[in-house]
Amino acid sequence: GNASKEQVAVLLQKLLHFGLMPDELDATDGVAAAMCHFYQLKTPGVKTNGKSWNDFIRENPGRIK
């Protein structure tokens, strides 16, 4: 949320073990978003069969701030 593009890129570089930093940091933002979605799908106890945000809110009331 509040991390800079540079911070996101460095984190991904450490997690994914790649050497050269890309010139366009928008690419690392895209990879980071994809990784977040992947990890959320693999989170135990989180239902992933909802069809909308309303379904998510109804099924996960404790996750809403």
Side-chain angles (χ1 to χ4, degrees), residues 20-57:
L20 297 175
M21 189 66 68
D23 292 331
E24 300 295 327
L25 295 182
D26 289 339
T28 55
D29 279 352
V31 172
M35 288 182 69
C36 286
H37 287 287
F38 173 77
Y39 287 131
Q40 285 182 348
L41 290 174
K42 302 296 181 187
T43 303
V46 175
K47 297 178 183 177
T48 59
N49 59 353
K51 294 178 179 59
S52 70
W53 281 111
N54 287 332
D55 289 342
F56 177 84
I57 292 167

Side-chain angles (χ1 to χ4, degrees), residues 1-8 29:
N2 292 328
S4 69
K5 289 185 182 293
E6 291 79 9
Q7 290 171 315
V8 171
D29 279 352

